């Protein structure tokens, strides 16, 4: 379960990178902050071992801006501190 200040972090990407190298396990949190990891097949989890774990919780907002080719600029909004990514 992923929480921040005691509250669940929904829609976050969770990545377990093996410290010794190899295939990572990853998953996404649900509305309650819970996640299931996938390595080779859906929800098979992660192998035993040491991992570096990252949590990326952000969304992209679009802000209108005159003079830009697209007419807008993208702005990342972090829902958990960026240093956890």
């Amino acid at each position: 379960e992923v929480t921040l200040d005691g509250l669940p972090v929904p829609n976050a990407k969770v990545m377990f990178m093996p410290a010794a190298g190899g295939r990572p396990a990853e998953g996404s949190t649900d509305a309650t902050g819970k996640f299931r990891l996938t390595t080779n097949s859906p929800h098979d989890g992660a192998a035993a071992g040491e991992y570096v774990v990252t949590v990326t919780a952000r969304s992209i907002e679009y802000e209108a801006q005159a003079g830009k080719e697209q007419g807008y600029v993208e702005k990342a909004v972090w829902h958990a501190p960026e240093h956890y990514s």
Side-chain angles (χ1 to χ4, degrees):
E1 182 175 7
V2 178
T3 62
L4 179 64
D5 298 329
L7 299 173
V9 179
N11 303 314
K13 183 177 180 179
V14 180
M15 174 105 33
F16 280 51
M17 293 293 298
R23 178 171 268 187
E26 59 185 283
S28 296
T29 59
D30 64 15
T32 66
K34 293 182 180 175
F35 62 94
R36 294 178 69 183
L37 294 173
T38 295
T39 300
N40 295 305
S41 59
H43 309 299
D44 62 351
E50 292 186 29
Y51 291 87
V52 174
V53 179
T54 61
V55 176
T56 304
R58 72 176 188 160
S59 59
I60 301 295
E61 291 184 358
Y62 300 94
E63 185 176 291
Q65 188 168 20
K68 288 289 186 181
E69 185 176 324
Q70 313 90 308
Y72 64 89
V73 293
E74 293 182 358
K75 179 182 172 187
V77 177
W78 293 91
H79 303 286
E82 186 177 357
H83 66 268
Y84 293 127
S85 293

